[in-house]
Amino acid sequence: MNMTPMILTPGATTLAQLETLWRGGAAAALTPAAREGVEAAAAQVARAAAGEEAVYGVNTGFGKLASVKIAAKDTAVLQRNLILSHCCGVGEALDGATTRLMMALKLLSLGRGASGVRWAVIAQLEAMLAAGVTPVVPAQGSVGASGDLAPLAHMTAAMIGAGEAVFQGARMPSEQALQAAGLTPLVLGPKEGLGLINGTQFSTALALVGLFDGWRNAASSLATAALSTDAIMGSDAPLQPEIHSLRGHRGQIEVAGQMRRVMAGSVIRDSHLTGDTRVQDPYCIRCMPQVVGAAVDLLRFAATTLETEANAVTDNPLVVGAGIISGGNFHAEPVAFAADIIALALAEIGAIAQRRVALMVDPTLSHDLPPFLTPDPGLNSGFMIAEVTTAALMSENKHLANPCSTDSTPTSANQEDHVSMAAHGARRLRWMNTNLSVILGVEALCAAQGIGFRAPLETSPALQAVMAAIRAVSPALEADRYLAPDIEAASALIRSGTLIAAAGLTDFTL
């Protein structure tokens, strides 16, 4: 494989770089400027390992066994035993792209020069990323403190020739994968096993994936909401900038502005500027900027936290100045809070979108659209059950949005007596984003169908481009047909960002 890597600077890597790594599958490597600090810290750990003074994680046991002193001759065995004993993950394996993102995050953390690992450890991670050797990492087993121990142990096991890895599409013992890629297993030095498995990189990688997909869903919802507004011949008056400036929230102001721009030039809208007997639209139309704008603000808040965490040193102990100091940076509470915040935003974006779907299929509310958006209701059911599907997924997401960070349980004989639950808090976001993409995909199908019934009146130029993208994968529903492929195709338009591009919303960014 031997991909040209993206060069990352520890402490200064951006979310845009990390999203590019994750979506594009590129390798990652640290700037050579990081090496001096890394090697200096490693030398300090080596001196401590050779000394008589007990230093946690260097020449002692771990967790509740921290009081057990380990002889200098046994430190390498200590680190290997640590990795093997902590490979207790269960469940389905993490997907390859997210695993590689996790490895890149571990590079960033080690590259800050406070973990005390040798440059050889970083070089092994870089070489595996470049060669396409991806550890098999079970997705369950972390409570988010003391770091993501089990998942990161499985990652580290692949580095030392234990456990499993995927190479050239085949799952195999990691020793075999390393050999096939021309690499050799790493022999861990003092503290290196602990430096690799202490940390929040598993939880952070999953939370970042949730953020990246969540933002794509949020931006897509501006296009689908605008299309729905025109489909029910809704008003764009609630999008006027003065309303939103008076409240002052950035997300609300931007959502309204983007929707105004997308809807500009709609003949459908112009057709009912006068003589419309309706006074107000339902909240799912009228309050779109207030609801999704608030969700956008939450996503941006979480983004700030996760960008900081991606660049953070989160293992323990840390080489600080002339000392090696025990702390608690491995506690993933910031990531857990960020994941909970993202989950709230996803649930609410889906909730208001689902109400727009319900609005469009209901002839009493849709301003003369036929029941369930079919030209021959009764003989045909149209989008009746597609709307039910969105209701089911909306409800799932509401339940999944319940906070994980408020849960805790003591572990490791009460030594680790408060934990973050960041790992499964972040892991659920992929499920939630998939659900949301389906809700928005169904909204896109319903809105396109509704716009079709307004002919010969046309929607705006931007929304005509959105319509063309939808019709490229799903023709208008003239009579009932097997709809599952249409729903999947429309959801794929959401997940790929196709509707964002079609609507000209690519400048709407985190």
Side-chain angles (χ1 to χ4, degrees), residues 374-376 380 382 449 476-482:
T374 176
D376 189 10
N380 295 282
Q449 185 82 354
L477 189 65
E478 303 297 341
D480 283 352
R481 64 173 182 260
Y482 188 63

Side-chain angles (χ1 to χ4, degrees), residues 10-87:
T13 295
T14 66
L15 291 181
Q17 288 176 292
L18 294 173
E19 184 170 10
T20 298
L21 275 176
W22 173 63
R23 292 197 187 278
L30 296 185
T31 172
R35 182 164 187 164
E36 182 178 357
V38 169
E39 295 284 27
Q44 196 166 330
V45 167
R47 290 192 294 272
E52 295 300 318
E53 182 181 349
V55 179
Y56 173 70
V58 176
N59 53 13
T60 71
F62 308 101
K64 196 72 171 180
L65 303 175
S67 59
V68 179
K69 179 76 161 56
I70 306 299
K73 65 182 179 63
D74 292 327
T75 54
V77 175
L78 172 72
Q79 297 299 314
R80 183 176 178 84
N81 285 349
L82 173 69
I83 301 309
L84 299 180
S85 67
H86 283 55
C87 284

Side-chain angles (χ1 to χ4, degrees), residues 142-149 152 197-207 305-306 309 312-315 327-340 404-408 418-426 428:
S142 173
V143 296
S146 168
D148 293 315
L149 294 171
L152 290 172
I197 70 169
N198 244 192
T200 66
Q201 288 75 36
F202 174 81
S203 296
T204 304
L206 283 165
T305 295
L306 294 175
E309 189 73 7
V313 183
T314 56
D315 63 291
N329 279 4
F330 49 72
H331 200 296
E333 197 80 353
V335 182
F337 282 159
D340 279 347
C404 296
S405 59
T406 52
D407 188 22
S408 181
H418 182 279
V419 298
S420 72
M421 300 301 181
H424 66 267
R428 70 182 154 163

Side-chain angles (χ1 to χ4, degrees), residues 320-408:
V320 181
I324 300 174
I325 304 173
S326 245
N329 279 4
F330 49 72
H331 200 296
E333 197 80 353
V335 182
F337 282 159
D340 279 347
I341 288 169
I342 294 169
L344 290 173
L346 299 180
E348 282 299 278
I349 293 168
I352 196 169
Q354 199 283 327
R355 296 318 303 155
R356 291 191 296 271
V357 174
L359 179 70
M360 286 185 283
V361 301
D362 186 345
T364 64
L365 297 172
S366 63
H367 197 56
D368 300 327
L369 292 176
F372 304 106
L373 299 168
T374 176
D376 189 10
L379 180 62
N380 295 282
S381 297
F383 287 93
M384 180 189 293
I385 303 305
E387 185 270 330
V388 174
T389 296
T390 66
L393 298 183
M394 174 188 69
S395 186
E396 279 189 16
N397 274 5
K398 286 179 180 179
H399 285 278
L400 289 168
N402 281 292
C404 296
S405 59
T406 52
D407 188 22
S408 181

Side-chain angles (χ1 to χ4, degrees), residues 423-466:
H424 66 267
R427 196 176 73 246
R428 70 182 154 163
L429 298 178
R430 174 158 286 185
W431 184 3
M432 293 185 71
N433 271 311
T434 298
N435 287 346
L436 178 52
S437 73
V438 175
I439 295 170
L440 295 173
V442 172
E443 182 185 13
L445 293 175
C446 290
Q449 185 82 354
I451 293 291
F453 286 118
R454 302 302 182 187
L457 300 177
E458 292 185 335
T459 189
S460 69
L463 291 177
Q464 287 181 48
V466 172

